[in-house]
Amino acid sequence: MASEPMSVGSSAQDPPPVPDATSQEPKHGGHTRFELELEFVQALGNPEYVNYLASRKFLHNPAFVAYLDYLQYWTRPPFLQYITYPTSCLKMLELLQVERFRKDILSPNLTQALIMDGMKAAVEWHREG
Amino acid sequence: MDKKLDASFERVEKALAVLIDSMTKFTPSEKAANDVVKAERDLFLGLEELEVHQRNVVRIKQLKQETEALDAQTKQTISALWEMRKELVAVAPTKFAPAKEEKYPFTTQQLLEYARRISRNTLPPPGVTNGVDLSTATPTTPDDQAGGGPDASFAASVGGGSGQGTAASTPAPGVQDSFVSQAPFQSQTGATELPVHLKPAVNPLENAPFFTFPTIDRIRSGALAQYQDLVNRGIDPKNYDPEEEERRLKQEEQDRKDAEERARQEREEQDRRMREERERMARERELARQQQQQEGGMDRRGSVLAPGQGGGQPSRSAPKQFTFLDEDDDDEDED
């Protein structure tokens, strides 16, 4: 699969190739597109970060919303196995597809509530299990 | 059936008539009486048969009704099936995003490796409670933890304003409960365990938060932050690798040093050659001068001394001078 340069104008519909020993991916600041997108999609699991993005009006940008939609390839194999924060990251990616949520996450109260509930769920899920 | 019964009746009547007739003539006939009894028995048999017949008729009617009901049910079922089939056909099939949905088989080993990889981000370390009271049996409701901070109003609105309990007050009963519940246990097991109220003091993870997402600090020190840093410094990150760049700079530095070293060595070599050249020329000049002096001296001596004496002395003194010069020359070569 040919790698695409990472810019809004390019056809970023194809996910980056899964890295292997022989891949010669062009690097952006020392990291491949795969690495950068993996890090970004996992960073989205942090409600504070999403709140920060919302405060910078990224979530109102149609190009960015399209990018969020494109990032859903992380919910499918073979990319899924590379996500090390699956619980919060995948849920947040799902929520970010909803316009209402993209507006609501601007609220610090919702951000804080998400953090607290996530922390509690992590403990309670383990206890129930 | 009717004919059979009619025949029986007729036979009974006839036999009876014969009997009555015989009796009216005062000549009762035993045979006639037996005929009547026999005919009557036949009639009873016929009546029993009729009963059976009628029961069968009723049963047949019931069966017919049952058949009709079942027929109706079958029809209903078939029509329901048909309706269902129609509905099923009418339902639009779900279209998955990738048309050619590939299966990704994985082994148990891979699954376990993935579980091990993610467990540090999904499973809190032992002792980390995130403020959840683990001593209660049932999970707490979301508004139980709604104490303090900016989420108080949110939780209050979610919980209908009833959840005003503070987080500070929630864990306190929990600690007491666990102390009370574990006290007998402790006395049974002996003194190998610390008292419960001291356990938090030796647990480094006490009150440590556990997040299921990367923290802001981690995000700030990640690849995206480096990318942003490059952009801020005015460097186009595309095809820019800091490690490669560093290697390149180091290589350039090394090349520069090597070039300087080579230039220095060349300069020294040149200096050495020039010095040797100068020394050689000086020696040659000296030699020439001495030769001139020697020739001049011989001329002078030749003019002063007698020819017989003058030929022997210079031949003895000349090697001394040459020997001295030779030694000097050897020293130079050794250098």
Side-chain angles (χ1 to χ4, degrees), chain B residues 145-203:
Chain B
Q145 293 290 320
D151 60 322
S153 59
F154 175 81
S157 65
V158 167
S162 61
Q164 290 297 327
T166 61
S169 66
T170 307
V175 170
Q176 285 175 357
D177 288 351
S178 61
F179 180 75
V180 170
S181 64
Q182 289 189 13
F185 175 71
Q186 191 188 354
S187 62
Q188 283 171 2
T189 53
T192 53
E193 282 190 46
L194 276 177
V196 174
H197 68 279
L198 283 180
K199 277 187 178 174
V202 296
N203 185 3

Side-chain angles (χ1 to χ4, degrees), chain B residues 4-15:
Chain B
K4 200 176 172 185
L5 277 180
D6 285 345
S8 294
F9 271 118
E10 205 174 327
R11 195 174 150 205
V12 172
E13 278 174 6
K14 275 183 183 170

